[in-house]
Amino acid sequence: MPTKTLRIPTTDGQADAFAAFPGHGEPHPGVLMYADGFGIRPVLREMARELAGHGYYVLVPNLFYRHGPAPLIELPEHIGAEVRPALMAQLMPLIEAHTAERVRRDAHAYLGFLTTQPEVAAGPVAVTGYCIGGLLAMRTAAAHPGQVAAVAAFHGPVGADGPDTLAEITAQVHFGHAEGDLTPEALSELNRALDAAKVDYTSEIYPGTVHGFTMSDTDAFDPAGLQRHWDRLLPLLERTLTNS
């Protein structure tokens, strides 16, 4: 699976990024993948390669490029409970500084870059994200309704911006929530807001999961949850991109 390390011009500098795509010649639909707060690392590269193997050009930007290239902090091979608090203490200032306005500016640059790559087919794109990346995916889809045909977010705070963001989304949506993140009552409230905004969506709690369940380098990892994530994501992309 061919991969590239890239630099994306933005209004605030150069964002380093990772891309994976099929090796055969014809262009493929583009997918913008937002990492979780721990950023680009081997597990994200592997997930991008896995998705690319299904026929997509997958771009994974360093969300916090303003503070330096990835990795911004030293990460262990396995992010266990004993090291997580110290790592989050380093990352939270970066996450808090990544305002909604920054997200919108970056999304414009990322999508502009993605859609002009020679390996990327003309037409709509998809955006997917994990943890905080799920919220970024939502903001990107809301800011580019004519361009983003699908958005998928996993164990992310997708309702954080309220109904105004939902009302701007024209993409087909899938939310995969961790059981440890969302009660059934909170899920019902979110889904009512999606209904009110007339979003075409699926939104469900993945049984037995905790926050971060897709990430195989953390204690939260749940193999069944990760497989369910692929089982939901791939048909969504097939419907909205491959058949568009």
Side-chain angles (χ1 to χ4, degrees), residues 94-118:
L94 310 185
I95 293 171
E96 290 168 354
H98 201 56
T99 62
E101 178 54 37
R102 283 186 175 184
V103 173
R104 285 190 289 269
R105 291 204 305 271
D106 289 349
H108 180 77
Y110 298 156
L111 292 178
F113 182 89
L114 174 64
T115 55
T116 56
Q117 297 309 292

Side-chain angles (χ1 to χ4, degrees), residues 83-168:
V83 298
R84 188 181 181 93
L87 296 176
M88 290 307 300
Q90 297 178 71
L91 289 169
M92 281 309 297
L94 310 185
I95 293 171
E96 290 168 354
H98 201 56
T99 62
E101 178 54 37
R102 283 186 175 184
V103 173
R104 285 190 289 269
R105 291 204 305 271
D106 289 349
H108 180 77
Y110 298 156
L111 292 178
F113 182 89
L114 174 64
T115 55
T116 56
Q117 297 309 292
E119 302 90 352
V120 176
V125 301
V127 186
T128 184
Y130 303 89
C131 185
I132 188 64
L135 177 59
L136 272 54
M138 287 288 291
R139 289 173 173 170
T140 299
H144 297 270
Q147 191 171 17
V148 176
V151 57
F154 302 93
H155 48 82
V158 292
D161 287 347
D164 289 347
T165 294
L166 300 180
E168 298 298 322

Side-chain angles (χ1 to χ4, degrees), residues 29-230:
V31 179
L32 175 60
M33 178 183 284
Y34 285 119
D36 61 1
F38 294 117
I40 300 175
R41 58 195 192 283
V43 67
L44 263 298
R45 292 186 175 92
E46 180 55 37
M47 292 177 77
R49 285 191 289 265
E50 172 76 16
L51 183 53
H54 292 275
Y56 302 98
Y57 181 106
V58 185
L59 179 66
V60 190
N62 170 20
L63 307 181
F64 308 127
Y65 68 88
R66 293 172 179 83
H67 305 274
L72 286 170
I73 66 173
E74 186 175 348
L75 293 171
E77 287 187 14
H78 183 80
I79 303 170
E82 71 283 359
V83 298
R84 188 181 181 93
L87 296 176
M88 290 307 300
Q90 297 178 71
L91 289 169
M92 281 309 297
L94 310 185
I95 293 171
E96 290 168 354
H98 201 56
T99 62
E101 178 54 37
R102 283 186 175 184
V103 173
R104 285 190 289 269
R105 291 204 305 271
D106 289 349
H108 180 77
Y110 298 156
L111 292 178
F113 182 89
L114 174 64
T115 55
T116 56
Q117 297 309 292
E119 302 90 352
V120 176
V125 301
V127 186
T128 184
Y130 303 89
C131 185
I132 188 64
L135 177 59
L136 272 54
M138 287 288 291
R139 289 173 173 170
T140 299
H144 297 270
Q147 191 171 17
V148 176
V151 57
F154 302 93
H155 48 82
V158 292
D161 287 347
D164 289 347
T165 294
L166 300 180
E168 298 298 322
I169 291 175
T170 60
Q172 291 188 35
V173 171
H174 175 71
F175 295 148
H177 309 286
E179 190 174 77
D181 280 347
L182 206 64
T183 65
E185 294 75 22
L187 175 65
S188 295
E189 183 178 351
L190 173 63
N191 291 353
R192 284 195 297 272
L194 290 162
D195 288 335
K198 296 181 170 55
V199 176
D200 183 356
Y201 75 94
T202 58
S203 173
E204 61 181 324
I205 293 172
Y206 287 19
T209 58
V210 297
H211 183 73
F213 62 83
T214 58
M215 297 296 152
S216 62
D217 61 351
T218 73
D219 285 348
F221 178 56
D222 182 88
L226 177 61
Q227 185 57 52
R228 191 182 187 100
H229 141 281
W230 290 122

